[in-house]
Amino acid sequence: MKKILLIIGFVCFQSFSAQSIKDFDLKNVELQGMKPATINKEMKDIGITKIPFVTDNPDIISKIEGPETAATIKNFYTFTYNNPKGNDGGVMVYEFKTKTDLDVFLAKNFEQSNGRILVKGLFCINIWSDYGLQVKGKETREDHLNKLEKYYVNLGAKRVKLQEMPPVDATDQ
C-alpha cells in the first residue's frame, strides 16, 4: 500500500512541477502607451493568427527564428504589443527540446538595451520594448522591461546575462 501511495504522490508531484508554454501567458499585464498588437500582413504571412499566439509548427517557427534554430524548438509563444507610432514590445517564449539546444541558442544571442532574457528549465523568455516615450510620470521602455521581467520572475524564471555585442569596426563598412 505504501508503494502505491508513493507512486501516486510522485505522479502528482511530477504533474505539479511540469511546465507548459501556456503557463507563461501574459495575464493582466498592461504596458502604458501600448495595446495588444493587431494582426498585420507581415504577421499573417508568418502564420501568426491571433495575440497571444502559441504554436508547435516548425514551419511557422522557422519563419521567426530560422530553420536551424526552429529544429531545436518544441513550442513557441508570443504576446506582442504596439502603438500607432510603430513602437512594439512584448514577449517571445521558446520551449527547447534539450538543455543543449537552449544553451546553444543563448550563446548565439547578445545583450540588447531594449530587451532581457530569462530562463526557466527548458524555456527561454525574451522580453523587449521599443517604446520611446520619455514623459515625466509616464512609463518608459525601462518601466516596461521591469514590469515584464517581474512578471516572469514571479513565475520562477531567472534573468540571464548574455554576451556583449562586439563593437562595430567602421573600417569594415
Side-chain angles (χ1 to χ4, degrees), residues 41 59 87 114 156:
K41 182 181 177 343
D59 293 331
N87 302 126
N114 70 333

Side-chain angles (χ1 to χ4, degrees), residues 11-69:
V11 170
C12 289
F13 174 76
Q14 288 295 93
S15 64
F16 287 129
S17 63
Q19 287 271 231
S20 162
I21 199 154
K22 292 180 182 176
D23 294 340
F24 296 100
D25 185 20
L26 280 174
K27 295 177 182 83
N28 303 316
V29 175
E30 292 183 21
L31 301 181
Q32 186 178 37
M34 308 276 257
K35 296 201 177 305
T38 54
I39 305 301
N40 60 28
K41 182 181 177 343
E42 179 184 5
M43 294 166 99
K44 285 179 187 173
D45 290 346
I46 291 171
I48 297 174
T49 56
K50 63 182 179 174
I51 297 296
F53 179 74
V54 179
T55 188
D56 61 358
N57 183 326
D59 293 331
I60 294 173
I61 297 170
S62 69
K63 291 176 185 174
I64 298 164
E65 285 299 330
E68 186 178 312
T69 301

Side-chain angles (χ1 to χ4, degrees), residues 37-139:
T38 54
I39 305 301
N40 60 28
K41 182 181 177 343
E42 179 184 5
M43 294 166 99
K44 285 179 187 173
D45 290 346
I46 291 171
I48 297 174
T49 56
K50 63 182 179 174
I51 297 296
F53 179 74
V54 179
T55 188
D56 61 358
N57 183 326
D59 293 331
I60 294 173
I61 297 170
S62 69
K63 291 176 185 174
I64 298 164
E65 285 299 330
E68 186 178 312
T69 301
T72 67
I73 296 172
K74 182 177 175 182
N75 288 299
F76 172 80
Y77 164 91
T78 189
F79 194 121
T80 307
Y81 296 88
N82 63 17
N83 69 15
K85 294 183 179 182
N87 302 126
D88 65 357
V91 62
M92 291 187 293
V93 180
Y94 309 91
E95 180 182 7
F96 286 88
K97 294 177 181 176
T98 68
K99 174 85 166 87
T100 302
D101 293 336
L102 171 62
D103 292 342
V104 168
F105 180 80
L106 293 173
K108 289 194 284 189
N109 284 281
F110 297 96
E111 255 332 280
Q112 295 184 14
S113 61
N114 70 333
R116 298 180 186 161
I117 300 289
L118 297 96
V119 171
K120 182 174 183 194
L122 296 177
F123 296 93
C124 176
I125 303 159
N126 178 3
I127 59 173
W128 85 97
S129 177
D130 293 329
Y131 192 61
L133 186 65
Q134 298 293 325
V135 175
K136 188 176 180 176
K138 300 284 185 180
E139 287 183 1

